[in-house]
């Protein structure tokens, strides 16, 4: 048994998402959903992962960093990338019933997955059962961009929520967070367990080196279906459905103004017409 809060192990779960590669043109599949045949780890999820690694490096207490992803088979690439960057282990929830899941369905599945991941410690010790627990997410996903999952997940888990984190430190059984609001910078303190969303201003994510890439091959990744978490397809039925989806129309050619001495006047007239002024 740990003798003090400072010696209590800390288990951090970082949610990582496999999203369409932003460098490629996004396509809509026949089922009215985004074609996810090619994807990458969401760039915004690298910031909470880096925050977790910095917490681990800044303390002498045992810290376990777990990557958790939900998605089709290809999402394992996001988990693999997280392991290469520095996560200790990874979990992948893959079930056809989650295809096209909305925020409510996603947060329902994530609640069960987070609880299962927290309970998946070393069976030979009580370390994980005694560990302080923290969930980190990105400020949004690169595809959906709702920013609603952290709040819904915290509510379903019944734990504290802090959003827009730009700095994080763990002090015993609490987390101290620098965060930004609409008009001010705040420092808040929340007891653990907690869910934090981390902004892209929090840090500079690291790149995996060759040694880390090779070490990641020996790190465990566990794949679950909904049934492994005690859930059914009905439990994660989406409350919203996409009725139609069409490609964005091509951008029309802009208006070219040639400076014949009246260019300034023409620009002002154009901006006024577009109601920019």
């Amino acid at each position: 048994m740990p003798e003090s809060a400072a010696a209590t192990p800390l288990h951090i779960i970082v949610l990582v998402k496999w999203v369409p590669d932003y460098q490629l043109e996004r396509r809509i599949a026949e089922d009215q959903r985004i074609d996810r045949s090619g994807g990458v780890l969401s760039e915004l999820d690298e910031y909470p992962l880096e925050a977790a690694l910095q917490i681990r490096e800044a303390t002498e207490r045992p810290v376990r960093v777990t990557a958790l992803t939900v998605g089709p088979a290809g999402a394992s690439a996001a988990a693999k990338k997280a392991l290469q960057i520095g996560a200790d282990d990874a979990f992948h929830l893959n079930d056809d019933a989650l295809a096209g899941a909305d925020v409510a369905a996603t947060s329902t599945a994530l609640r069960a997955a987070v609880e299962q991941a927290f309970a998946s410690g070393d069976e030979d010790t009580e370390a994980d059962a005694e560990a302080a627990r923290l969930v980190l997410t990105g400020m949004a996903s690169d595809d959906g961009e709702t920013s609603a999952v952290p709040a819904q997940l915290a509510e379903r888990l019944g734990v504290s929520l802090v959003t827009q984190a730009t700095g994080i430190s763990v002090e015993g059984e609490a987390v101290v967070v620098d965060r930004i609001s609409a008009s001010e910078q705040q420092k808040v303190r929340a007891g653990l367990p907690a869910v934090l969303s981390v902004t892209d201003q929090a840090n500079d994510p690291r790149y995996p080196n060759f040694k880390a890439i090779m070490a990641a091959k020996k790190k465990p990744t566990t794949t679950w279906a909904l049934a492994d978490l005690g859930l059914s397809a009905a439990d994660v039925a989406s409350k919203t459905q996409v009725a139609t989806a069409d490609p964005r129309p091509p951008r029309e050619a802009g208006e070219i103004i040639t400076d014949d001495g009246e260019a300034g006047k023409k620009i002002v007239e154009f901006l006024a017409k577009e109601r920019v002024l």
Side-chain angles (χ1 to χ4, degrees), residues 181-213:
S181 68
S183 60
E184 58 189 10
Q185 187 82 20
Q186 301 173 338
K187 183 180 287 291
V188 299
R189 184 182 182 92
L192 297 175
V195 174
L196 272 60
S197 70
V198 181
T199 76
D200 57 358
Q201 300 176 39
N203 51 54
D204 294 315
R206 69 193 68 187
Y207 294 96
N209 54 35
F210 178 75
K211 182 179 179 180
I213 292 173

Side-chain angles (χ1 to χ4, degrees), residues 14 74 116 170:
V14 183
Q116 185 88 329
V170 177

Side-chain angles (χ1 to χ4, degrees), residues 17 19 42 44-45 138-147:
K17 189 175 184 182
V19 300
S42 176
L44 291 176
D45 290 340
M139 60 189 289
S141 62
D142 283 342
D143 51 356
E145 297 184 351
T146 66
S147 300

Side-chain angles (χ1 to χ4, degrees), residues 2-263:
E3 297 179 356
S4 66
T8 302
L10 174 64
H11 189 178
I12 304 175
I13 293 179
V14 183
L15 305 187
V16 297
K17 189 175 184 182
W18 188 64
V19 300
D21 191 338
Y22 65 89
Q23 294 183 342
L24 304 176
E25 181 180 356
R26 295 189 180 184
R27 300 186 301 274
I28 299 174
E30 295 181 359
D31 58 3
Q32 303 298 316
R33 298 171 182 151
I34 296 176
D35 182 355
R36 296 179 179 273
S37 56
V40 294
L41 169 65
S42 176
E43 181 180 350
L44 291 176
D45 290 340
E46 294 185 22
Y47 297 94
L49 181 56
E50 176 64 28
L53 300 178
Q54 290 185 9
I55 291 172
R56 185 175 66 187
E57 293 166 353
T59 183
E60 295 182 359
R61 71 195 292 181
V63 178
R64 174 185 171 194
V65 177
T66 293
L68 171 60
T69 189
V70 176
S76 61
K80 180 180 179 181
K81 180 68 175 295
L83 293 175
Q84 293 174 346
I85 292 174
D88 298 305
D89 55 4
F91 294 91
H92 176 197
L93 175 55
N94 177 13
D95 199 293
D96 290 342
L98 289 168
D102 62 10
V103 174
T106 300
S107 61
T108 297
L110 280 172
R111 176 200 61 79
V114 165
E115 291 179 339
Q116 185 88 329
F118 274 138
S120 64
D122 188 344
E123 300 297 337
D124 296 329
T125 72
E126 297 181 359
D128 212 65
E130 298 291 335
R133 297 176 174 182
L134 178 63
V135 179
L136 301 182
T137 79
M139 60 189 289
S141 62
D142 283 342
D143 51 356
E145 297 184 351
T146 66
S147 300
V149 167
Q152 290 200 13
L153 176 60
E155 177 67 18
R156 295 187 189 283
L157 290 171
V159 303
S160 304
L161 168 71
V162 182
T163 61
Q164 299 294 307
T166 59
I168 306 169
S169 62
V170 177
E171 300 178 0
E173 297 298 317
V175 60
V176 178
V177 182
D178 294 316
R179 70 179 302 274
I180 53 174
S181 68
S183 60
E184 58 189 10
Q185 187 82 20
Q186 301 173 338
K187 183 180 287 291
V188 299
R189 184 182 182 92
L192 297 175
V195 174
L196 272 60
S197 70
V198 181
T199 76
D200 57 358
Q201 300 176 39
N203 51 54
D204 294 315
R206 69 193 68 187
Y207 294 96
N209 54 35
F210 178 75
K211 182 179 179 180
I213 292 173
M214 297 304 294
K217 295 181 179 181
K218 299 180 180 180
K219 296 178 180 179
T221 298
T222 302
T223 302
W224 292 321
L226 286 172
D228 297 318
L229 305 179
L231 295 176
S232 66
D235 294 325
V236 295
S238 293
K239 301 183 183 301
T240 60
Q241 299 291 331
V242 177
T244 61
D246 299 300
R248 182 171 56 189
R251 179 181 295 180
E252 297 180 358
E255 180 178 341
I256 299 176
I257 297 177
T258 302
D259 189 2
D260 55 1
E262 297 289 326

